[in-house]
Amino acid sequence: EALDAPTEWFLGTDGTLYLWAPGGADPSTLEVEAKARDYAFRGDGLRFVEISGFHFFACTFTLTNSEHCVVEDCHLRFPSFARGVPEAAERPRRSAGTRISGDDNTIRRCSLAYCGTFGIQVKGRRNVVEDCPIHDVNWSGTLHYVAIQLTGDKDDEKASNTARHNTIYNVGNTIITSS
């Protein structure tokens, strides 16, 4: 009953996916994409690793406790999501998203588009986010989700991370935070 307009879909309890295709087209003749995993790349304790030139759809990357890593020229569409609409006063639940933590890492010339929750979270020291177009972030408009969040590590009173030359637009609330 809820399918009342083209491009809407519904997953039945039996696992059947119902889709109202645009223009009344036969769905079997269309390219239909769906989320298969949260992360295309996931690393912990990496050093001197480069990730370059990938196109991510409905997934992202996360590097934890990493040093001197570079992610560049990658394009992410629908990298993060939220199940349901969060309450304004409710703390956000941990969800998949684009994160990097550690020291001396760089995210360069990577585009992020259609992030249901946050854009990029950076934690540690001397990390850089530069020349990245980021748009359509934080669909719920809550203060919890930010396009670029820069945070120091537990030994740093102030974050020494940098965001520069980024183009950010269509954000539901806060654009950049640094703490």
Side-chain angles (χ1 to χ4, degrees):
E1 293 176 9
L3 291 178
D4 58 3
T7 72
E8 292 183 343
W9 58 271
F10 173 75
L11 183 61
T13 56
D14 65 350
T16 301
L17 179 66
Y18 299 92
L19 169 69
W20 185 333
D26 179 353
S28 65
T29 65
L30 302 174
E31 181 177 328
V32 177
E33 297 176 297
K35 182 176 188 62
R37 66 189 55 82
D38 289 336
Y39 296 103
F41 291 97
R42 182 181 233 168
D44 188 6
L46 302 176
R47 297 183 69 210
F48 299 99
V49 171
E50 292 186 25
I51 300 171
S52 180
F54 286 90
H55 290 259
F56 298 80
F57 176 79
C59 63
T60 188
F61 64 87
T62 183
L63 304 178
T64 308
N65 302 315
S66 297
E67 297 179 7
H68 303 282
C69 293
V70 175
V71 180
E72 65 182 359
D73 300 318
C74 292
H75 305 285
L76 296 86
R77 288 180 23 231
F78 302 99
S80 67
F81 67 95
R83 295 199 188 278
V85 178
E87 295 293 328
E90 179 183 299
R91 300 262 316 141
R93 291 175 238 145
R94 179 111 170 134
S95 63
T98 308
R99 294 181 177 90
I100 193 163
S101 72
D103 301 334
D104 304 299
N105 300 296
T106 301
I107 300 173
R108 176 185 309 125
R109 296 183 308 273
C110 292
S111 65
L112 278 84
Y114 314 114
C115 309
T117 57
F118 61 90
I120 300 174
Q121 291 181 340
V122 177
K123 183 176 183 178
R125 296 178 295 189
R126 300 176 306 278
N127 298 297
V128 176
V129 178
E130 63 185 354
D131 298 319
C132 296
I134 301 170
H135 64 90
D136 296 287
V137 176
N138 183 5
W139 301 343
S140 65
T142 177
L143 287 170
H144 297 297
Y145 301 125
V146 177
I148 299 177
Q149 180 182 18
L150 306 172
T151 308
D153 66 8
K154 62 184 176 199
D155 299 324
D156 246 349
E157 287 184 20
K158 184 178 179 208
S160 58
N161 300 306
T162 304
R164 61 181 172 225
H165 309 293
N166 299 290
T167 301
I168 303 170
Y169 59 96
N170 291 349
V171 177
N173 207 309
T174 308
I175 297 172
I176 299 176
T177 61
S178 178
S179 59

